[in-house]
């Protein structure tokens, strides 16, 4: 199989790894490329049914990516089964897009990296940009099948667990990025009337974490900001490439967006996503929590 | 309904919502939502003398299931007594929207119903307040949350 060329429109934007980013134009030109599989991953589980990029397959972060019993992802064998059902082979170029500024597209991209898929890319601007440009949606459900996908062992270098976070906190001067909104970070937001927020028992943030909301990395149209702006955003809070950075949010989806920015757009060598995030940390006994700004 | 029929039913309510919009002269209103995922909804009710819902509307923004749930529940409860509304539960929404479709998003599917029942409770509290001369509480509309 011939390798799918990167999107040449990305190469001069100054990102560290432009090969992981594609434009809506690039996707539109590759709709019929048999070496490319387009994957939609949304928070809204019915958006795909309303309409999706022609030929795109849906991977639901909840029902497809998660272990149905334990709070964890599908294991290696489960990931291989998923790839075979989606018609993805080891040398398929997979392009992710989705709602909410690509939160779950980045989350699914992250899981693909976790299991070592060779060629994964994200469509800049996600579903909203495709729609804003008046490009077509399809309601056809493509059927794919495959076999023989072989995943790599899970890569611990991109995933953080609670003990990793605790070790940073206990060592002092942690490089933790809390990408939630300021109200969540300070602990102001716990729940709204009649609808307690699911998840954590306590409000606040991991002791020592810096609050850099994910949205600061995105433009109004959902695309990623340029490298200079991004670099200034994180370096300005002391989150620099020489550090072992851990990003977290509520369940790890928004922090996947930030993880993608730091690791691929800025090229930070050591960045992990803490998918346990606040729903875990904010419910654990005897861990350091801070409230306020 | 099979899964595809359920999806079509939900999409119909999402794309062609019934009873959608603010109600300026509601007897009671209440907002609900989940700041974690950004679903917001406000239910507005006018209650008749016989304890029946004379008019109902909803407004909000959020995912397909949460907003379709507002349309479905509003269409369902118009004309119901408050006692009947209180007997509805998550099973009601599962049956209406298809358990297979919404089982992983139960909180979204029941957002409108839970908010509606909260509004009914607030209305009944207001009735009790009136008996001792305390002003009614109109209730808050949902507030957009930045996430």
């Amino acid at each position: 199989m011939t390798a799918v060329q990167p999107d040449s429109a990305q190469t001069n934007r100054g990102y560290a790894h432009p090969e992981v980013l594609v434009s809506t134009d690039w996707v539109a030109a590759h709709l019929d490329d048999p070496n490319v599989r387009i994957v939609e991953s949304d928070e809204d589980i019915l958006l795909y049914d309303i309409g999706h990029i022609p030929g795109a397959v849906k991977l639901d972060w909840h029902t497809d990516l998660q272990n149905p019993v334990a709070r964890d992802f599908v294991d290696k064998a489960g990931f291989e089964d998923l790839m075979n059902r989606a018609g993805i082979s080891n040398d398929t170029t997979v392009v992710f897009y989705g709602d909410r500024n690509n939160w779950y597209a980045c989350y699914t991209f992250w899981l693909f990296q976790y299991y070592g898929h060779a060629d994964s890319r994200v469509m800049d601007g996600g579903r909203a940009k495709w729609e804003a440009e008046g490009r077509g949606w399809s309601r056809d459900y493509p059927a794919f099948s495959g076999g023989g996908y072989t995943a790599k062992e899970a890569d611990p270098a991109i995933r953080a667990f609670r003990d990793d976070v605790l070790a940073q906190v206990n060592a002092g001067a942690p490089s933790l990025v809390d990408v939630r909104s300021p109200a969540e970070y300070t602990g102001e937001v716990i729940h709204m009337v009649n609808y307690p927020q699911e998840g954590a028992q306590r409000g606040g943030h991991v002791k020592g974490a810096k609050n850099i909301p994910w949205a600061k990395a995105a433009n109004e149209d959902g695309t990623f900001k340029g490298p200079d702006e991004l670099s200034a955003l994180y370096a300005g809070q002391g989150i620099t490439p020489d550090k072992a950075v851990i990003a977290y949010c509520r369940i790890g989806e928004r922090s996947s967006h930030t993880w993608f920015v730091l690791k691929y757009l800025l090229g930070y060598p050591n960045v992990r996503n803490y998918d346990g995030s606040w729903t875990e940390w904010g419910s654990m006994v005897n861990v350091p929590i801070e409230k306020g700004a | 309904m099979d899964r595809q029929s359920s999806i079509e039913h939900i999409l119909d309510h999402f794309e062609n919502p019934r009873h959608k919009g603010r109600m300026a002269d509601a007897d009671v209103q209440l907002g609900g939502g989940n700041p974690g995922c950004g679903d917001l909804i406000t239910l507005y009710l006018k209650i008749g003398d016989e304890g029946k819902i004379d008019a109902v509307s909803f407004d909000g923004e959020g995912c397909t299931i949460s907003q379709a749930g507002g349309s479905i529940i509003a269409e369902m409860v118009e004309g119901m007594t408050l006692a009947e509304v209180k007997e509805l539960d998550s099973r009601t929404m599962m049956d209406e929207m298809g358990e297979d479709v919404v089982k992983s998003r139960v909180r979204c599917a029941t957002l409108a119903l839970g908010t509606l029942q909260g509004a009914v409770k607030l209305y009944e509290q207001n009735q009790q307040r009136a008996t001792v001369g305390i002003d009614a509480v109109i209730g808050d509309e949902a507030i957009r949350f930045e996430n």
Side-chain angles (χ1 to χ4, degrees):
Chain A
M1 183 177 283
T2 306
V4 177
Q5 293 299 307
D7 180 1
S8 59
Q10 309 300 324
T11 53
N12 294 323
R13 295 178 67 185
Y15 293 132
H17 295 285
E19 69 277 8
V20 299
L21 204 60
V22 296
S23 65
T24 50
D25 282 339
W26 187 95
V27 171
H30 286 78
L31 293 181
D32 299 319
D33 188 333
N35 301 320
V36 173
R37 179 73 66 245
I38 303 169
V39 172
E40 176 161 344
S41 287
D42 299 316
E43 178 175 86
D44 186 334
I45 61 172
L46 290 183
L47 275 185
Y48 178 86
D49 299 283
I50 289 175
H52 47 264
I53 293 178
V57 64
K58 172 186 176 181
L59 290 184
D60 185 275
W61 72 273
H62 195 270
T63 57
D64 290 321
L65 306 186
Q66 306 284 327
N67 182 308
V69 180
R71 185 179 173 187
D72 205 345
F73 297 100
V74 291
D75 60 13
K76 180 172 175 287
F79 186 79
E80 289 169 344
D81 287 343
L82 185 61
M83 295 305 93
N84 292 333
R85 292 202 305 274
I88 295 171
S89 63
N90 284 85
D91 50 7
T92 301
T93 296
V94 182
V95 177
F96 301 94
Y97 77 100
D99 64 354
R100 292 187 169 276
N101 292 76
N102 276 332
W103 287 356
Y104 287 94
C106 290
Y107 186 80
T108 310
F109 175 99
W110 172 70
L111 188 69
F112 272 58
Q113 298 302 94
Y114 190 55
Y115 283 120
H117 186 75
D119 188 354
S120 299
R121 309 179 189 188
V122 171
M123 186 178 85
D124 201 12
R127 194 181 158 95
K129 189 166 191 290
W130 184 272
E131 183 160 87
E133 292 170 347
R135 302 181 188 269
W137 295 123
S138 170
R139 284 198 177 186
D140 294 334
Y141 298 100
F144 297 113
S145 62
Y149 190 96
T150 304
K152 294 182 179 175
E153 294 299 326
D155 180 3
I158 64 169
R159 186 182 187 191
F161 292 94
R162 57 186 175 276
D163 288 345
D164 302 316
V165 177
L166 188 59
Q168 277 211 4
V169 174
N170 287 340
S175 294
L176 301 170
V177 185
D178 185 323
V179 314
R180 298 174 300 162
S181 64
E184 291 172 279
Y185 176 83
T186 61
E188 174 191 340
V189 171
I190 298 295
H191 64 84
M192 290 177 68
V193 177
N194 291 322
Y195 219 81
Q197 185 176 8
E198 59 189 9
Q201 297 288 312
R202 293 288 187 271
H205 56 269
V206 181
K207 184 180 179 184
K210 300 289 195 298
N211 185 211
I212 310 176
W214 69 273
K216 290 185 179 294
N219 294 310
E220 282 293 313
D221 66 355
T223 56
F224 293 105
K225 287 184 176 172
D228 293 342
E229 259 186 293
L230 293 174
S231 185
L233 173 65
Y234 296 100
Q237 292 256 35
I239 304 300
T240 47
D242 56 306
K243 294 174 179 165
V245 179
I246 297 175
Y248 74 91
C249 57
R250 191 177 67 96
I251 57 171
E253 87 290 26
R254 285 175 285 180
S255 50
S256 294
H257 186 276
T258 296
W259 171 84
F260 180 85
V261 168
L262 290 171
K263 186 162 184 67
Y264 290 96
L265 302 188
L266 293 179
Y268 283 30
N270 188 353
V271 189
R272 285 178 288 174
N273 185 27
Y274 171 37
D275 56 286
S277 277
W278 193 252
T279 51
E280 179 176 66
W281 194 269
S283 295
M284 282 199 294
V285 175
N286 196 27
V287 293
I289 289 176
E290 289 178 333
K291 291 178 80 86
Chain B
M1 280 191 289
D2 61 20
R3 177 181 171 81
Q4 192 55 38
S5 298
S6 296
I7 289 172
E8 294 298 330
H9 179 58
I10 292 169
L11 296 188
D12 177 43
H13 275 274
F14 179 73
E15 293 174 334
N16 309 289
R18 287 66 140 171
H19 302 271
K20 179 88 185 275
R22 296 183 75 243
M23 187 186 293
D25 57 345
D27 292 326
V28 65
Q29 64 184 32
L30 190 65
N34 181 359
C37 69
D39 297 326
L40 297 175
I41 207 155
T42 301
L43 266 294
Y44 305 88
L45 299 175
K46 285 192 72 70
I47 314 293
D49 292 338
E50 297 175 357
K52 287 186 176 181
I53 295 179
D54 279 352
V56 53
S57 73
F58 80 99
D59 203 3
E61 59 183 83
C63 75
T64 315
I65 291 175
S66 72
Q67 301 307 301
S71 175
I72 288 169
I73 200 67
E75 187 173 60
M76 180 190 300
V77 302
E78 190 172 48
M80 273 189 181
T81 65
L82 301 187
E84 288 171 332
V85 169
K86 288 192 284 188
E87 288 179 2
L88 303 175
D89 58 18
S90 60
R91 172 49 54 192
T92 309
M93 301 311 295
M94 292 282 201
D95 290 344
E96 282 293 318
M97 305 179 89
E99 182 171 355
D100 189 40
V101 177
V102 302
K103 63 185 177 187
S104 66
R105 297 293 192 279
V106 174
R107 294 184 73 86
C108 302
T110 58
L111 172 60
L113 173 60
T115 307
L116 170 74
Q117 290 176 325
V120 167
K121 186 175 181 181
L122 179 58
Y123 175 80
E124 291 180 332
Q125 289 170 345
N126 282 339
Q127 297 295 95
Q128 292 179 344
R129 287 188 180 96
T131 63
V132 292
I134 300 174
D135 290 342
V137 176
I138 186 66
D140 294 323
E141 296 177 297
I143 303 169
R144 183 173 177 78
F145 175 78
E146 177 196 354
N147 57 13

